[in-house]
Amino acid sequence: MNERLRKVIYGSGESVPVVANTVIALYFLYFLTDIVGISPALAGAVFMIGRSWDAFTDPAIGLISDRTKTRWGRRRPYFLFAALPLIILYSFLWQEFEFSTLTSFIYYTLLYMLFMTALTVFHVPYISLISEYSTDYMERTSITNYRIFFQLFFGLFAAVIPKIVADATSYSTMAFGIGIFMTTVAILLFSMTNERPVPIQTEKTKLLGELKSVFQNRAMKYLLFIYVGCYAAANVIEGFVIYYLKYYLDRELDMSILFVIVIGAGILSLPIWTKVTKVVGKKQTLFIGLVLWLLGQFGWLFISADSPEYLVYAIGAIVGVGYGVAHVLPWAMLPDVIDFDELRIGKRREGIYSGIMTFFMKLANSLAIFLIGLVLEFSGYIANEVQTAETINVIKWTMALAPGIFVVLALVATWLYPFSRKDHENIRRQLSKN
């Protein structure tokens, strides 16, 4: 198998979580408030409880996969284990039932928790594979670019097509189609990937001991702040943009076009960011991209329902360029941090590191969506009604400032991140001598 095809096959696995999570991020809060009919605060609580539970399962699944020993490897068997639960649980998550408010809250919370657990069983072992694909600084960026290309491309697909299907049929039909897609990809990934031999760790360190050891890695601490900032900002935009377009700009039908532009700009900018990374390194490239994203966020304050369409799309393109690099580089930096960990303690722990990364991303996401629900609740939001001037103003400022705060967090952490390309090359030289 040639190297490019190998990267394409690996990158395609990212389509599973991105399709599921993009549809959830964009439409599940809206589905709960405007279709099921529960209050924004309760709908936000569904997210917070489900995501918090999901976050806590990530390090555990990562540690379990680190210790797994099968003839298929440490990571690949989990693709097969997750395949059937993904389609079943996602389909039931989007069913519409005539339950009481309390029963609806309990039902959707439990289904969300179960589905996200199944997705974790797939995703944490999947992202752990990258460190086993290459040890080269720039090659890891290249591999990550393939993964993020699939993430952005299928994110664009998920932002547009499922809503069209749901409007034409039902949300349950849409969910069943996505379930078939996820299960198919999971099975194909199990069949077509491979793992290089890695010594299995025999010592039975407890989870809390492993976590304590990871947080003694200074570079990991800064990377977590970078990652949380980038993904929380993206999650707020994804969950809030439908309210911004529908009620503030009165342009709900433009949502698909805006997402094509935002994600399209992210995809088209990937080759440029790769070249910039070769010149200045990952840290500096990420900082430049985040500054562009922050400028785009403030742009949302200067448009209104009367603004020309091209201005809305131009701001979306600026956000998309920063959004693209912010999705690539944190994951490209993770294997470098893991190399330092190996030099520090003498063993590789891709699973626990990947689990901790997704743990903090999901925890931040759950809080962000919960806060969105609270903002809507206390601003006087009423589903499918003309909103008050106060509510409209809150929607405007939340769209611009809430993601902007998270981007600033990522910017500060990027500035303080301690590793450069030369540092990593030195680490790899020392590891090669061991």
Side-chain angles (χ1 to χ4, degrees):
M1 184 184 298
N2 67 53
E3 194 62 26
R4 178 170 294 180
L5 179 59
R6 185 167 171 260
K7 293 177 183 178
V8 168
I9 292 171
Y10 172 74
S12 67
E14 187 65 21
S15 63
V16 172
V18 76
V19 169
N21 285 330
T22 298
V23 174
I24 288 174
L26 289 176
Y27 302 117
F28 193 51
L29 188 68
Y30 176 80
F31 171 76
L32 293 176
T33 59
D34 290 38
I35 306 299
V36 176
I38 65 177
S39 71
L42 277 181
V46 171
F47 270 91
M48 185 182 71
I49 296 170
R51 275 296 205 178
S52 297
W53 161 258
D54 178 39
F56 279 100
T57 64
D58 286 5
I61 294 298
L63 181 60
I64 291 169
S65 72
D66 281 341
R67 294 175 176 173
T68 296
K69 184 178 181 179
T70 74
R71 61 175 176 164
W72 301 289
R74 295 190 293 170
R75 320 296 180 185
R76 293 172 56 236
Y78 292 96
F79 306 156
L80 203 58
F81 296 160
L84 189 58
L86 287 174
I87 184 173
I88 294 173
L89 295 170
Y90 202 72
S91 297
F92 277 100
L93 181 64
W94 294 87
Q95 294 292 324
E96 301 172 36
F97 295 108
E98 295 184 0
F99 293 148
S100 67
T101 298
L102 178 59
T103 303
S104 294
F105 172 73
I106 294 172
Y107 173 82
Y108 290 108
T109 300
L110 288 176
L111 261 294
Y112 189 37
M113 291 169 66
L114 289 171
F115 171 74
M116 295 309 295
T117 301
L119 192 60
T120 292
V121 170
F122 172 88
H123 196 213
V124 170
Y126 165 72
I127 57 181
S128 301
L129 274 179
I130 186 171
S131 293
E132 300 178 8
Y133 263 54
S134 177
T135 60
D136 182 74
Y137 179 87
M138 285 306 303
E139 185 67 7
R140 285 170 170 174
T141 302
S142 175
I143 295 168
T144 303
N145 271 343
Y146 277 84
R147 186 169 75 86
I148 300 305
F149 169 81
F150 277 94
Q151 183 184 94
L152 294 176
F153 177 81
F154 278 94
L156 177 59
F157 168 88
V160 177
I161 304 302
K163 185 63 162 59
I164 295 174
V165 173
D167 289 342
T169 56
S170 66
Y171 279 92
S172 59
T173 301
M174 173 270 293
F176 183 70
I178 291 174
I180 292 174
F181 171 80
M182 291 189 293
T183 297
T184 302
V185 173
I187 294 172
L188 289 176
L189 200 66
F190 169 78
S191 304
M192 301 182 71
T193 55
N194 53 63
E195 299 181 42
R196 64 184 176 89
V198 176
I200 303 299
Q201 310 302 330
T202 56
E203 66 271 26
K204 297 298 182 181
T205 308
K206 293 182 179 180
L207 178 59
L208 290 179
E210 292 278 351
L211 294 174
K212 181 179 178 181
S213 175
V214 168
F215 286 110
Q216 291 171 346
N217 185 339
R218 186 166 64 96
M220 183 62 175
K221 295 177 184 178
Y222 289 116
L223 183 58
L224 285 173
F225 280 110
I226 293 170
Y227 185 59
V228 166
C230 291
Y231 275 77
N235 292 148
V236 172
I237 292 172
E238 290 167 354
F240 205 74
V241 68
I242 190 169
Y243 299 98
Y244 181 80
L245 289 173
K246 181 176 180 178
Y247 296 109
Y248 176 64
L249 294 184
D250 193 24
R251 298 179 182 180
E252 184 180 2
L253 296 179
D254 287 348
M255 184 169 174
S256 297
I257 300 174
L258 181 60
F259 266 96
V260 169
I261 291 170
V262 171
I263 299 176
I267 293 173
L268 294 175
S269 68
L270 290 180
I272 298 173
W273 289 124
T274 300
K275 293 180 179 179
V276 175
T277 302
K278 289 180 179 179
V279 176
V280 302
K282 298 175 186 178
K283 173 179 175 176
Q284 291 79 3
T285 302
L286 180 58
F287 191 88
I288 294 168
L290 289 172
V291 169
L292 285 175
W293 188 353
L294 188 62
L295 292 174
Q297 281 306 125
F298 286 116
W300 297 122
L301 294 174
F302 298 98
I303 60 176
S304 66
D306 298 325
S307 298
E309 290 183 352
Y310 73 83
L311 185 59
V312 178
Y313 300 152
I315 293 171
I318 295 172
V319 170
V321 171
Y323 178 90
V325 71
H327 276 61
V328 172
L329 289 181
W331 281 109
M333 294 157 76
L334 178 61
D336 304 338
V337 173
I338 293 172
D339 285 344
F340 175 70
D341 181 66
E342 181 182 4
L343 182 64
R344 188 171 62 94
I345 69 169
K347 63 179 181 179
R348 294 195 66 80
R349 301 185 293 174
E350 297 93 338
I352 190 71
Y353 270 80
S354 299
I356 289 172
M357 283 278 281
T358 55
F359 167 85
F360 277 91
M361 180 270 288
K362 292 172 180 178
L363 195 61
N365 170 255
S366 67
L367 292 173
I369 300 299
F370 177 61
L371 290 175
I372 287 176
L374 290 181
V375 166
L376 291 172
E377 183 81 13
F378 290 109
S379 71
Y381 170 81
I382 302 175
N384 298 311
E385 299 289 343
V386 176
Q387 307 301 321
T388 66
E390 179 184 356
T391 302
I392 293 294
N393 202 39
V394 169
I395 290 173
K396 168 188 173 181
W397 283 91
T398 301
M399 180 66 180
L401 296 187
I405 291 170
F406 286 114
V407 174
V408 169
L409 173 66
L411 268 171
V412 173
T414 301
W415 180 266
L416 297 173
Y417 180 77
F419 284 168
S420 65
R421 180 190 301 180
K422 290 183 179 179
D423 293 323
H424 180 256
E425 290 171 351
N426 182 52
I427 290 169
R428 289 306 315 174
R429 280 194 298 270
Q430 294 182 63
L431 286 173
S432 65
K433 294 176 183 178
N434 296 339

